Amino acid sequence: DEGLPAVIKNHPAAQWEVAKWTPEVVEKKVGMLRNVYVGEDEVFLYYHDDKDLSNVLRQHEARGWQPQYDLQNMSTVNFFSQCRQLSESSEAAASLARSPSSGNPFYYYYSGDLDVWDDDLDEVGDLRFEEAPITRDVPVEEARQLFGIPDELRNARAKIQEQIVWLGCDNVTASPHYDTVHNFFYQIHGFKTFVIFPPKAHLGLHMHPKSHPSWTQARVTHLDNVDITKFPLFPTIEQGFEVELQAGQVLYLPPFWFHRVKAGGQSISLALWTDSNMVPLIQEAFASIVPFEADWSPKLKWVATGKYVFLLAYYFASSSLHGARRLLHYLPSSRYTYLCPPPGLAIQVLAAATGGG
C-alpha cells in the first residue's frame, strides 16, 4: 500500500468510449441526476448522516454543525445549464438562481456510482434516452486489468473496484480529504487542480474524528485562507504540491493521501477505486469492543472514558516511538476539543459515540 501519486499520460483508457464524454453527450445519454449537491460555497464538505454524532451535532445549529448544501434531483440539461451560466460573464451571472439569505450564486456538484445510471437515472418523465447503457462506455474487465490491484497483491477481503462519476461546475471544490482506496482518477472533460498532502499531514489539517459526519475530511477547508488561531497546527505541515490534471490524463492517488480538488470549467471525471489492503485491518480495529457496559449511563461512560484514555495515554507516553508521543500530545487538540463547548454537549457526544443515546 506504499506509493506516491503519479500522473499517467497516453494510457489505453483514452481509447474507451467514455473518453468522448462531453456535457452534450451526457445530456443525451443520461436524463436525471439524483442527489446533486447545491450550495452557496464553492467548497463542498461532505456530511454523512449515518455517523454516530449526526443527530447530536444537528441540535447545535449555533456551532455550524449542519450540512452546507442541499440535495436536489435535476435533469442533466438543467445541471449543465446552471454550470454554463456560472462560467459566463458577470452580467449573465446576475440572472443565476441566488440564495435569498446571502445573494450568492448556487454551486452544483454531483458524484455517483456509474452502475446506477442505467437503473434509475435515464428517465425524465415518459422520455427515455439512448437504449445502449452508458456503463458500456467503460469496459469493466479492461478497467480492472488496467487500473485494478492484482489479486496476488490484494487482500481477499478488499473490494475489487468501484466506478464513480464526478460532474462539477467551474471552481467547484472538494475540500481536503483522504480516501481508503487506490484511486485512479480519470479526467475526461475540462480540467481539475489537485493540492496533495502526504498522510503525515493529518495533524496539521485538523481532521474530524471518526464519529463525526465529516469523517475522513479536514476541518481546514479553505487552503487559501487558513485561520491559524483556529488551526494552529496547519503551519507545521509541508506545503501541498499542486497537480493540474488535463482532459485525457489519469492521476493515481495512493490510499490515505490528502487531496483538495478544484474543477476548471465544466468538469467530467471518472474515479476507479480499489480498496487498500489496510481497509480490513482498520475495520477490525474499529470493531474492537470498548470496555463499557451496555447499561451504564452517559455520565458514567464519560467518567470511564477519562480512565480509559488515561491508561492509553500512559501506555503511549512510555513508548520509545517519537511519533506515538507526538500523536498523543496533539490529537486531542487537533480533533476533539472543538466538540466540547457548549456546556453539556460533551456528554451527548460521548453518549452518541458509545451507543448511550
Side-chain angles (χ1 to χ4, degrees):
D1 281 330
E2 296 181 358
L4 297 172
V7 175
I8 305 171
K9 303 178 181 179
N10 302 319
H11 51 82
Q15 306 303 317
W16 296 350
E17 196 67 23
V18 69
K20 302 176 183 178
W21 283 5
T22 64
E24 292 73 23
V25 169
V26 174
E27 288 175 2
K28 183 179 180 182
K29 290 191 172 188
V30 179
M32 289 295 292
L33 298 173
R34 304 197 190 281
N35 294 329
V36 173
Y37 297 90
V38 182
E40 297 178 37
D41 193 336
E42 63 188 37
V43 178
F44 282 80
L45 179 73
Y46 284 108
Y47 195 99
H48 301 280
D49 272 326
D50 59 345
K51 301 303 291 183
D52 294 332
L53 295 181
S54 298
N55 291 334
V56 172
L57 297 181
R58 277 182 176 274
Q59 298 172 17
H60 296 271
E61 297 184 21
R63 296 194 57 77
W65 281 313
Q66 298 290 315
Q68 300 301 304
Y69 54 78
D70 293 321
L71 294 176
Q72 298 180 13
N73 298 337
M74 65 177 59
S75 68
T76 52
V77 172
N78 187 24
F79 179 90
F80 285 114
S81 174
Q82 295 293 340
C83 288
R84 281 188 284 271
Q85 291 183 62
L86 198 59
S87 300
E88 290 172 357
S89 66
S90 57
E91 291 81 9
S95 64
L96 279 172
R98 293 174 179 268
S99 163
S101 60
S102 69
N104 294 327
F106 287 119
Y107 293 88
Y108 297 82
Y109 184 46
Y110 171 81
S111 67
D113 194 321
L114 179 66
D115 290 341
V116 307
W117 278 24
D118 289 331
D119 296 333
D120 60 359
L121 301 184
D122 59 348
E123 295 186 11
V124 179
D126 296 329
L127 178 64
R128 288 191 62 86
F129 286 71
E130 290 189 355
E131 294 183 1
I134 195 170
T135 51
R136 293 183 187 176
D137 291 353
V138 181
V140 177
E141 289 306 317
E142 185 177 345
R144 287 179 176 175
Q145 293 177 14
L146 186 60
F147 297 121
I149 304 302
D151 290 344
E152 61 270 19
L153 300 178
R154 181 176 54 83
N155 188 306
R157 290 173 294 175
K159 288 190 292 187
I160 294 180
Q161 193 162 286
E162 292 181 84
Q163 302 168 68
I164 309 298
V165 177
W166 306 88
L167 308 176
C169 299
D170 190 27
N171 290 325
V172 164
T173 303
S175 64
H177 65 284
Y178 71 85
D179 300 309
T180 61
V181 296
H182 295 276
N183 185 356
F184 289 89
F185 195 93
Y186 182 13
Q187 186 62 23
I188 299 169
H189 182 83
F191 68 94
K192 281 189 170 174
T193 302
F194 288 73
V195 179
I196 302 173
F197 299 89
K200 66 181 181 181
H202 66 96
L203 286 176
L205 289 174
H206 291 258
M207 303 300 295
H208 289 282
K210 177 180 180 294
S211 297
H212 195 279
S214 296
W215 181 49
T216 75
Q217 298 167 92
R219 292 171 55 211
V220 179
T221 55
H222 294 68
L223 296 179
D224 300 328
N225 185 25
V226 180
D227 184 349
I228 304 303
T229 61
K230 187 176 181 181
F231 305 114
L233 298 179
F234 182 76
T236 67
I237 63 177
E238 297 179 4
Q239 183 176 357
F241 63 92
E242 188 172 294
V243 174
E244 188 172 286
L245 194 67
Q246 299 293 335
Q249 297 179 341
V250 171
L251 173 64
Y252 168 64
L253 284 167
F256 306 105
W257 279 71
F258 297 98
H259 47 288
R260 187 206 70 176
V261 192
K262 185 174 184 178
Q266 298 176 64
S267 175
I268 303 175
S269 317
L270 179 69
L272 303 166
W273 289 351
T274 300
D275 272 350
S276 160
N277 287 338
M278 290 295 294
V279 169
L281 300 178
I282 293 173
Q283 291 172 341
E284 288 180 9
F286 284 142
S288 299
I289 299 175
V290 179
F292 296 161
E293 298 295 334
D295 59 350
W296 285 1
S297 68
K299 190 170 184 178
L300 181 56
K301 289 181 179 180
W302 178 250
V303 174
T305 296
K307 298 287 187 180
Y308 185 55
V309 170
F310 173 80
L311 293 175
L312 289 176
Y314 182 81
Y315 172 79
F316 278 112
S318 63
S319 170
S320 60
L321 297 176
H322 171 73
R325 295 198 302 273
R326 183 172 183 270
L327 178 66
L328 176 65
H329 180 73
Y330 288 115
L331 190 62
S333 61
S334 174
R335 298 198 187 187
Y336 293 96
T337 53
Y338 79 107
L339 290 171
C340 292
L345 177 58
I347 290 180
Q348 295 183 52
V349 166
L350 174 65
T354 57

